[in-house]
């Protein structure tokens, strides 16, 4: 730009001014978020919204702003802006931002104690839940899962929840499967606090200890040599405990025990009889699954197995009548027949080793 200047005396001169830049146009601005949401539309970290601008008027972008969102919540938004070198500014908004930084809360079941139903253990079911109130629950799984067969012993189950934002958390509970030996030990634990109340309880505990001293191969199997003695000691223990209950039922006499003791005795009898039934049924399962080495012995194996099943049924019938000691006798015979079946199955054909 140029111009002419005249003073009061009439003198004139010409001058010019260069380098004048004019930008009256606001920049074009867009907003973007980082990090991007996952496939479900959620973030599980802070989200930063950043402005980026394109100068339209020619002065260039001087600065842009950013904003960080961190609170949990759906449908959040942030407005950011850019300013050009001429001082013009414009803003943009990023909306629909969903943030969940809170892990789910898993509610595991109480620890479980169950009784083995076979040599493999027991099938155990349970329920587990999780609260993922912000984004919602994406997945909830248990390892091992509900309905699995749990082996004898204690297994820790891990329950893991993942919400839609990708946060995860875990909780655990234990499943304890009691085999025959575990049931006997539980019976001792039930009876021990009341040992001083009755000589019969004291004798029963000693018999149970004897049944545990030898004869067991593992939690559910007995060796063929001393297995019978396990049942015998168990029967003696149960007979002593039945006498305790009989005296408690009469409601009089110096041998009457406390209600708590009577309840413990009743539980112990149930555990002991159940333990012997497990030993018997596991042996039958083994006989039924056995591979017969000499086909000529198949008939013997079948007959012994059939006898074992009949004794099992007789034992169950005695148990239903409340004759626990007689039931143990039948379970013992059941075990003996199944053991004979296994011995016959194990025999190799004559002339072979």
């Amino acid at each position: 730009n140029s111009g002419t200047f005249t003073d009061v005396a009439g003198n004139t001169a010409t001058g010019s001014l260069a380098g004048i830049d004019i930008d009256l146009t606001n920049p074009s601005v867009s907003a973007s978020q980082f990090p991007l949401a996952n496939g479900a539309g959620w973030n599980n970290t802070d989200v930063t919204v950043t402005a980026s601008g394109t100068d339209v008027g020619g002065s260039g972008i001087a600065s842009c702003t950013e904003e960080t969102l961190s609170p949990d919540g759906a449908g959040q938004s942030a407005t950011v802006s850019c300013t050009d070198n001429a001082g013009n500014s414009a803003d943009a908004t990023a909306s629909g931002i969903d943030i969940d930084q809170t892990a789910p809360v898993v509610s595991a079941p109480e620890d479980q104690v169950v009784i083995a139903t076979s040599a493999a253990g027991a099938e155990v079911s349970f329920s587990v839940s999780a609260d993922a109130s912000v984004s919602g629950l994406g997945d909830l799984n248990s390892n091992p899962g509900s309905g699995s067969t749990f082996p004898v012993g204690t297994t820790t189950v891990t329950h893991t929840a993942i919400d839609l934002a990708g946060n995860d958390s875990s909780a655990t509970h234990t499943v304890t499967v009691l085999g025959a030996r575990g049931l006997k030990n539980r019976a001792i634990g039930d009876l021990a606090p009341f040992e001083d109340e009755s000589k019969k309880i004291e004798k029963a505990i000693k018999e149970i200890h004897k049944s545990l001293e030898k004869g067991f191969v593992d939690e559910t199997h007995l060796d063929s040599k001393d297995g019978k003695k396990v049942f015998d000691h168990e029967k003696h223990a149960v007979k002593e405990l039945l006498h305790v209950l009989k005296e408690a039922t009469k409601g009089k006499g110096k041998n009457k025990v406390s209600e708590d003791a009577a309840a413990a005795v009743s539980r112990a009898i149930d555990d002991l009889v159940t333990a012997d039934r497990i030993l018997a049924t596991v042996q039958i399962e083994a006989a039924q699954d056995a591979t017969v080495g000499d086909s000529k012995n198949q008939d013997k194996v079948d007959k012994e197995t059939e006898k074992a099943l009949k004794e099992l049924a007789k034992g169950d019938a005695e148990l239903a009548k409340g004759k626990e000691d007689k039931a143990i006798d039948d379970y013992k015979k059941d075990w003996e027949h199944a053991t004979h079946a296994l011995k016959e199955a194990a025999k190799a054909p004559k002339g072979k080793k």
Side-chain angles (χ1 to χ4, degrees), residues 161-347:
I162 304 175
D163 63 23
L164 293 175
N167 303 299
D168 64 83
S169 63
S170 299
T172 62
H173 91 288
T174 59
V175 173
T176 299
V177 179
L178 297 177
R181 191 155 53 186
L183 284 167
K184 291 171 186 279
N185 282 315
R186 185 168 76 173
I188 292 172
D190 263 342
L191 295 172
F194 309 102
E195 189 172 0
D196 294 337
E197 289 194 30
S198 169
K199 289 293 184 181
K200 289 182 171 59
I201 293 178
E202 182 181 352
K203 289 179 182 178
I205 292 175
K206 289 180 180 179
E207 289 292 339
I208 301 169
H209 277 299
K210 288 179 182 178
S211 77
L212 289 166
E213 287 173 358
K214 57 182 179 179
F216 275 90
V217 175
D218 55 30
E219 285 288 333
T220 56
H221 294 87
L222 300 174
D223 65 48
S224 58
K225 178 182 178 182
D226 296 311
K228 291 186 290 184
K229 296 178 183 178
V230 172
F231 289 94
D232 291 337
H233 288 304
E234 207 81 300
K235 178 183 175 182
H236 293 322
V238 168
K239 289 187 76 172
E240 294 291 345
L241 296 176
L242 287 172
H243 282 304
V244 174
L245 286 186
K246 185 176 180 181
E247 291 168 354
T249 303
K250 289 180 179 179
K252 59 181 179 178
K254 63 180 181 179
N255 295 323
K256 182 184 177 184
V257 297
S258 65
E259 290 185 6
D260 288 343
V265 167
S266 181
R267 291 194 301 271
I269 291 172
D270 288 343
D271 278 350
L272 296 175
V273 177
T274 300
D276 287 341
R277 191 182 192 282
I278 289 173
L279 294 171
T281 55
V282 165
Q283 199 75 338
I284 289 177
E285 289 174 3
Q288 291 173 325
D289 294 338
T291 299
V292 180
D294 186 345
S295 60
K296 293 180 180 179
N297 293 330
Q298 185 67 60
D299 186 54
K300 293 180 180 179
V301 172
D302 292 342
K303 286 182 178 179
E304 289 293 340
T305 303
E306 185 179 349
K307 289 178 181 178
L309 289 168
K310 288 181 179 179
E311 291 296 340
L312 178 65
K314 287 172 63 178
D316 290 346
E318 295 289 3
L319 184 59
K321 297 175 185 177
K323 298 179 179 180
E324 289 85 352
D325 53 337
K326 292 186 177 180
I328 291 176
D329 272 339
D330 292 324
Y331 295 149
K332 173 186 172 182
K333 294 175 184 176
D334 166 352
W335 179 86
E336 289 177 313
H337 285 301
T339 300
H340 289 319
L342 286 169
K343 288 181 178 179
E344 292 296 332
K347 291 179 180 179

Side-chain angles (χ1 to χ4, degrees), residues 87-104:
N88 304 301
S89 65
D91 56 36
T93 299
S95 58
I97 298 172
D98 300 334
I99 299 176
D100 178 4
Q101 300 194 59
T102 302

Side-chain angles (χ1 to χ4, degrees), residues 7-191:
D7 61 17
V8 294
N11 302 302
T12 62
T14 301
S16 63
L17 180 64
I20 298 175
D21 299 326
I22 299 175
D23 179 359
L24 300 176
T25 305
N26 292 334
S28 174
V29 180
S30 62
S32 61
Q33 74 172 71
F34 182 83
L36 295 174
N38 65 13
W42 285 87
N43 288 86
N44 62 4
T45 62
D46 290 354
V47 174
T48 299
V49 177
T50 302
S52 60
T54 301
D55 180 53
V56 179
S59 63
I61 299 297
S63 63
C64 292
T65 63
E66 65 179 30
E67 182 178 346
T68 298
L69 301 174
S70 58
D72 285 353
Q76 300 185 61
S77 63
T79 299
V80 289
S81 63
C82 288
T83 302
D84 64 19
N85 288 308
N88 304 301
S89 65
D91 56 36
T93 299
S95 58
I97 298 172
D98 300 334
I99 299 176
D100 178 4
Q101 300 194 59
T102 302
V105 178
V106 181
S107 298
E110 295 293 324
D111 292 342
Q112 295 173 274
V113 178
V114 300
I115 297 172
T117 55
S118 69
E123 184 178 301
V124 182
S125 298
F126 47 79
S127 297
V128 61
S129 61
D131 179 18
S133 58
V134 181
S135 60
L137 188 62
D139 186 37
L140 176 61
N141 64 78
S142 301
N143 184 30
S146 177
S148 299
T149 297
F150 286 75
V152 173
T154 299
T155 302
T156 298
V157 184
T158 301
H159 312 280
T160 303
I162 304 175
D163 63 23
L164 293 175
N167 303 299
D168 64 83
S169 63
S170 299
T172 62
H173 91 288
T174 59
V175 173
T176 299
V177 179
L178 297 177
R181 191 155 53 186
L183 284 167
K184 291 171 186 279
N185 282 315
R186 185 168 76 173
I188 292 172
D190 263 342
L191 295 172

